[in-house]
Amino acid sequence: MSAPSTGALRTSALANAAAIAARHADVFSPPLAQRLLGPAVVALVLGLFAYSLVVLGFTFERVWNGLERLGYILGYMLPPDPGKHFWKYFHALGETVAIALLGTLLGAVMAVPLALLAAKNIIPNRLFHFGWRRGLDFLRAIDVLIWALIWINVVGLGPFAGILAIAMSDTGGFAKLFSEAIEAADRKPVEGVTAAGGGAPHGIRFGILPQILPIMISQVLYYIESNTRSATIIGIVGAGGIGLHLSDTIRLNEWQNVSFLIVMILVTVAIIDWMSTRLRFAIIGRRA
Amino acid sequence: MATLPLPTNAPATLQRLDGYRAEQAAKRLRTLLFAAATLLACLLAAWMGEVDLAKFVENFHKFPNYILGITPQLRWATLGEDFAEWYWGWKRWGRLLIDTVLIAYAGTLLGLVGGLMLCFTASANLTARRWLVLGARRLLEIQRSVPELVYALIFVVAFGLGPFPGMLAIAIHTTGALGKLFAEVNENIDLKPVDGIYATGASWFQAMRFAVLPQVMSNYVSYTLLRFEINVRGAAVLGFVGAGGIGQELLGAIRQFYLPDVSAILLMIVLTVAVIDIFTERLRHALIGMDART
């Protein structure tokens, strides 16, 4: 790690250090305000952090006792063991995957017409574009768990509410992404199709669709990955899947079951990630 | 048409055309198989997910009714009073909302520290020992693969109800997410500036400060701000499991059918998230602008 300590440039630079500093005053002695900016930001960040800790009920005693209890809990978790409930958990896991898959696909299907309306090159009205986009943002801003609670009121407890919840919150996200893909599509292939004698439907089918379909499918796959994670917790509010068992076993202090459920979730998420990555590569090639 | 003489290389061209057709047919078959598999998966998922279209159609009217139910009654003549009635709990909700943002803030900051501590070990170009790199990566993976809410459920048991376990849950998850992103940034840095700084006689810390940090700093800040946005959304629902913030209040309002409260709280959450999104976006752009100038 030691650096060379000899060299003509270094020697001459050190000899003229004062002159160089005077010539480049902006680098060597910046104004006071600029120098204070860094420490001020750090002080602000740390001050707000200390304030947060006070507001959030931090005490050393609480942390110490909590860590001790956490240690016990981790001890009780080993080894992971489903007890007699393996098939029940397995079924719930199937529900979770079903929720993620169907919710995502339903969201994607609903998003297509909304995306067409949100694309600037289809409806070139600025005011409409802005309003529509904000509406889609609103769908997205409401958490999946909140949508789940609302849909439980409509279709009752169970995975169906979970599917609808995921579909609802994904619709906004998909519509935004799809409309961006439509806006970014190149018009030249359509001209090519027209030049070869194709009509407007041909232009969409052979000029536009091949450009946006791979993007759409890859986004759907990506969302299925992330929704599998969401679907594991959606059961906590009663909308189906493995989350219900997770929160039940935690409340009942059945820690070996808890750790087994967590391991099941991790394995499932890893498998879905792997599958969707493979599928993405197969559909759009190695580049994305 | 028939009088046109075929070019001399016609057989080869036709053969190539046949090849093209065969390829197209194979592609079409693949697409059809993919569509069939998707359909099959959907049917299976519909069966697993207890999709009941009859029940859906029968009960769908409840959804617009619900939306109408949570819509507050605001009349132009008595707008002030109506609004005051709608937001009757604004003091309490505002305080809980501030709690929510602080949970996200403290959780993000702790997660940032955790991510910083682990990201160098998880970068293959900065840590020579392979097992250490893999170990750090697995640790980060576990931290981010378990959902926040699951950590929150466990921490509530260990640390007691309240916002503190919620903050810890966010911190753990953020460590996993940021550590991975930071490690990816570290692995893409240019090592030439590091050599350059060493050549002027700098120490290791000086090299990190003046050669590595300027390269990764803007990415770190940008990722951290993005994570903060995500964490505010996450903190808003932590209350569902008793881990503090506005979520508990929202859950109560939904469960007990205090319908106007639902829309009041939801609107507050959405607006807060939107304001924070705009603020962090401005900050990110300002920082990127600073980068471009220096």
Side-chain angles (χ1 to χ4, degrees), chain A residues 1-4 10 37 44-49 51-53 55-59 62-67 69-70 73 77 90-95 97-99 101-102 105 137-138 140-143 145-147 149-151 153-161 163-164 168 217 229 232-233 236-238 243 246-247 250-251 253 255 258 262 265-266 269 279 283, chain B residues 34 38 41-53 55-56 59-63 66-67 70 98-100 102-107 109-110 141-142 144-150 153-165 167-168 197-204 233-234 236-237 240-241 250-251 254-255 257 259 262 266-267 269-270 273 290:
Chain A
M1 290 287 172
S2 80
R10 179 178 153 85
L37 189 67
L44 196 73
V45 167
L46 290 182
L48 194 56
F49 181 66
Y51 174 71
S52 313
L53 286 185
V55 172
L56 303 180
F58 168 89
T59 57
R62 191 173 183 194
V63 172
W64 186 247
N65 290 340
L67 283 178
R69 239 170 298 163
L70 198 62
I73 289 173
M77 277 185 174
F90 193 74
H91 181 260
L93 201 61
E95 252 177 46
V97 176
I99 291 171
L101 180 71
L102 217 52
L105 288 178
D137 283 348
F138 192 80
R140 221 151 39 97
I142 295 176
D143 197 272
L145 287 177
I146 301 171
W147 279 121
L149 285 168
I150 293 175
W151 280 109
N153 282 328
V154 178
V155 295
L157 292 167
F160 192 24
I163 291 171
L164 292 169
M168 215 62 193
I217 291 179
R229 285 163 226 247
T232 56
I233 50 164
I236 293 173
V237 297
L246 204 51
S247 69
I250 289 174
R251 282 193 192 124
N253 285 315
W255 296 108
V258 174
I262 291 177
I265 290 174
L266 290 181
V269 169
L279 264 177
I283 288 168
Chain B
F34 180 68
T38 312
C42 279
L43 288 175
L44 196 67
W47 174 68
M48 279 297 284
E50 296 169 22
V51 171
D52 188 344
L53 285 180
K55 193 163 81 179
F56 182 70
N59 288 317
F60 185 75
H61 66 273
K62 284 187 194 163
F63 183 65
Y66 194 81
I67 302 294
I70 65 172
I98 291 173
D99 271 12
T100 307
L102 289 181
I103 292 172
Y105 175 78
L109 205 61
L110 277 182
E141 211 165 75
I142 290 172
R144 70 171 182 276
S145 290
V146 178
E148 249 156 47
L149 229 49
V150 176
L153 277 166
I154 296 172
F155 290 164
V156 162
V157 177
F159 293 90
L161 290 168
F164 186 67
M167 182 205 75
L168 286 182
I197 295 278
Y198 277 139
T200 66
S203 70
W204 184 83
R233 288 164 212 262
V237 293
F240 287 11
V241 297
L250 181 62
L251 185 70
I254 293 177
R255 288 254 162 97
F257 293 98
L259 294 182
V262 174
L266 271 184
L267 192 64
I269 294 176
V270 169
V273 169
M290 263 162 71

Side-chain angles (χ1 to χ4, degrees), chain B residues 172-187:
Chain B
I172 298 271
H173 196 81
T174 305
T175 299
L178 286 183
K180 181 205 174 210
L181 290 171
F182 289 178
E184 275 170 10
V185 174
N186 291 341
E187 286 180 348

Side-chain angles (χ1 to χ4, degrees), chain B residues 38-101:
Chain B
T38 312
L39 194 69
L40 197 68
C42 279
L43 288 175
L44 196 67
W47 174 68
M48 279 297 284
E50 296 169 22
V51 171
D52 188 344
L53 285 180
K55 193 163 81 179
F56 182 70
V57 172
E58 189 187 325
N59 288 317
F60 185 75
H61 66 273
K62 284 187 194 163
F63 183 65
N65 280 352
Y66 194 81
I67 302 294
L68 278 180
I70 65 172
T71 311
Q73 291 216 325
L74 295 177
R75 280 148 305 197
W76 187 245
T78 53
L79 192 63
E81 289 159 44
D82 286 349
F83 196 78
E85 197 188 321
W86 186 28
Y87 271 95
W88 64 275
W90 68 273
K91 269 187 189 152
R92 186 180 156 69
W93 298 336
R95 200 171 45 76
L96 286 169
L97 209 54
I98 291 173
D99 271 12
T100 307
V101 176

Side-chain angles (χ1 to χ4, degrees), chain A residues 64-262:
Chain A
W64 186 247
N65 290 340
L67 283 178
E68 199 184 350
R69 239 170 298 163
L70 198 62
Y72 283 132
I73 289 173
L74 286 178
Y76 292 142
M77 277 185 174
L78 296 172
D81 178 21
K84 290 182 220 127
H85 307 299
F86 178 77
W87 291 109
K88 194 169 83 183
Y89 293 164
F90 193 74
H91 181 260
L93 201 61
E95 252 177 46
T96 300
V97 176
I99 291 171
L101 180 71
L102 217 52
T104 314
L105 288 178
L106 195 61
V109 170
M110 291 197 299
V112 171
L114 301 183
L116 288 174
L117 291 175
K120 245 184 254 169
N121 47 0
I122 291 187
I123 298 189
N125 181 327
R126 269 206 165 168
L127 200 68
F128 180 84
H129 178 76
F130 181 82
W132 195 254
R133 279 283 169 99
R134 291 297 84 74
L136 294 177
D137 283 348
F138 192 80
L139 283 184
R140 221 151 39 97
I142 295 176
D143 197 272
V144 177
L145 287 177
I146 301 171
W147 279 121
L149 285 168
I150 293 175
W151 280 109
I152 284 171
N153 282 328
V154 178
V155 295
L157 292 167
F160 192 24
I163 291 171
L164 292 169
I166 287 197
M168 215 62 193
S169 78
D170 275 7
T171 302
F174 275 137
K176 184 168 178 270
L177 292 170
F178 289 177
S179 68
E180 274 159 13
I182 295 170
E183 280 169 7
D186 192 353
R187 298 287 303 165
K188 290 194 198 81
V190 183
E191 284 168 23
V193 171
T194 315
H202 290 114
I204 292 172
R205 164 66 183 85
F206 296 103
I208 301 283
L209 207 61
Q211 290 187 59
I212 61 172
L213 203 59
I215 301 175
M216 284 162 75
I217 291 179
S218 121
Q219 279 159 354
V220 168
L221 285 170
Y222 187 74
Y223 265 69
I224 288 179
E225 274 180 55
S226 87
N227 281 335
T228 309
R229 285 163 226 247
S230 311
T232 56
I233 50 164
I234 213 164
I236 293 173
V237 297
I242 204 157
L244 177 68
H245 297 302
L246 204 51
S247 69
D248 278 355
T249 46
I250 289 174
R251 282 193 192 124
L252 297 171
N253 285 315
E254 287 166 352
W255 296 108
Q256 285 185 310
N257 291 9
V258 174
S259 57
F260 190 81
L261 285 167
I262 291 177

